Amino acid sequence: MGIPQRVPLTPEQLKAHKKSIALCHGAACMVELERVFGTRESNALERMIDGKDARLNEDGEARWSRKYDRYLKGSVPKDITVMRAERVAIAMGRPTHLRHWRDNTLWALLAEPGPSLGQVRSLMAGLPPVVRKEIYFLAEYDPRGRLLRQPFSRNGAIRLRDLWSLDAFVGLLALAREGEILEDDPQQALSARCLFEMLPRVLLDNPPLRAEWHTLYQILETVLWRRAYHGGAIVNAFTLQDAEFGLQAVAEDRNARLPWTAGRLSACEE
């Protein structure tokens, strides 16, 4: 069963959640294209990336595919578009991270209902070493050749939080989803708290995620911060107003200590 939502989501809400992820996903790709090519105007991008000009209809009027406009409605680039964008960007001397934003593990972990336990663990195994070392014993393997897992600990979660990177954010999101599936309240709740604390810095450091950040907050709230724990316990909610406060505070002072901090490393924890 896992750790349930406080209020079960209706089919309509689940459909809206999926649409919201697509919206953030497509917008992130568009922001990256704009960073590299200096525009988000679909016709201009089609000329620059695809090398195409408008087709004329029988009345001599220009007709464009408007394919790039669709990214702002939840579509994402196909492989051929990514490859073309990469080739043109390199020729311009401004390499693009479009593939990174299209294929980021973040999007799969935001699904609701979430991915299976096997899928979550497979996504974990693909994270960068700096993140995996807080989840696995990197030099130890089980009889099947798989890395051995470290026990989840508060200090491990805090060390991931203190990386303040998108990769660490994704790692903690994976731990939260694993905890949700396993009904491990402490793992899910602490990971979720650290994620809320990280959110302002992750948004500030990753402009593609800021494009639709209110929508992204709502997605994360659904996935992380609306859970009912064992015995019906409810951990204090993290609201949009809290997120806005945190974003403003961290924008003014990168080292701002937010009221909902998970704290510092514990010297007594083994």
Side-chain angles (χ1 to χ4, degrees), residues 34 39 98 126 157 165 173 210:
E34 185 177 22
T39 182
L98 182 60
S165 68
L173 179 56
R210 290 207 306 274

Side-chain angles (χ1 to χ4, degrees), residues 23-260:
L23 180 65
C24 292
H25 195 175
C29 293
M30 177 57 85
V31 170
E32 175 60 12
L33 287 172
E34 185 177 22
R35 180 190 71 82
V36 175
F37 298 102
T39 182
R40 62 172 57 194
E41 206 284 315
S42 184
N43 298 352
L45 289 170
E46 199 164 346
R47 280 194 297 268
M48 296 171 75
I49 297 172
D50 302 304
K52 292 183 178 180
D53 288 315
R55 295 187 296 274
L56 300 180
N57 65 14
E58 57 187 22
D59 297 322
E61 298 172 325
R63 288 289 183 268
W64 295 88
S65 72
R66 310 301 299 174
K67 66 182 256 187
Y68 293 95
D69 282 343
R70 293 195 285 273
Y71 299 163
L72 295 175
K73 299 176 182 178
S75 179
V76 295
K78 295 181 180 179
D79 285 344
I80 186 63
T81 300
V82 173
M83 289 187 289
R84 287 172 178 166
E86 289 172 340
R87 183 173 63 247
V88 175
I90 290 171
M92 294 170 59
R94 301 194 67 186
T96 178
H97 306 295
L98 182 60
R99 190 181 301 272
H100 164 81
W101 287 110
R102 188 195 65 170
D103 299 340
N104 199 287
T105 302
L106 172 70
W107 310 115
L109 288 169
L110 291 175
E112 188 65 28
S116 69
L117 183 59
Q119 289 170 326
V120 170
R121 288 177 170 170
S122 178
L123 293 171
M124 276 183 186
L127 293 169
V130 69
V131 175
R132 281 191 288 126
K133 75 176 185 178
E134 300 298 341
I135 301 174
Y136 300 93
F137 295 106
L138 293 187
E140 299 182 35
Y141 297 84
D142 69 12
R144 297 183 180 180
R146 299 175 301 187
L147 285 169
L148 290 175
R149 285 289 298 275
Q150 294 193 42
F152 178 81
S153 69
R154 178 182 177 278
N155 270 2
I158 297 299
R159 281 192 293 269
L160 280 175
R161 181 207 64 186
D162 287 351
L163 293 174
W164 302 110
S165 68
L166 178 57
D167 287 334
F169 189 90
V170 171
L172 277 165
L173 179 56
L175 286 170
R177 303 241 65 174
E178 181 184 58
E180 169 200 328
I181 295 167
L182 297 176
E183 299 186 50
D184 188 331
D185 292 3
Q187 178 173 327
Q188 195 281 343
L190 178 58
S191 299
R193 175 177 287 274
C194 288
L195 286 161
F196 193 74
E197 190 175 354
M198 293 178 76
L199 183 61
R201 288 204 205 185
V202 169
L203 290 173
L204 290 169
D205 291 343
N206 296 276
L209 295 181
R210 290 207 306 274
E212 293 287 345
W213 89 262
H214 280 194
T215 302
L216 179 61
Y217 162 81
Q218 292 169 351
I219 294 166
L220 290 164
E221 182 187 37
T222 297
V223 168
L224 298 168
W225 305 314
R226 291 182 183 173
R227 299 290 169 179
Y229 299 101
H230 184 70
I234 294 176
V235 175
N236 39 322
F238 299 115
T239 67
L240 178 59
Q241 290 72 28
D242 291 333
E244 289 172 337
F245 170 83
L247 186 58
Q248 181 177 348
V250 174
E252 295 172 357
D253 176 7
R254 294 282 295 187
N255 297 313
R257 192 168 174 82
L258 301 175
W260 42 82

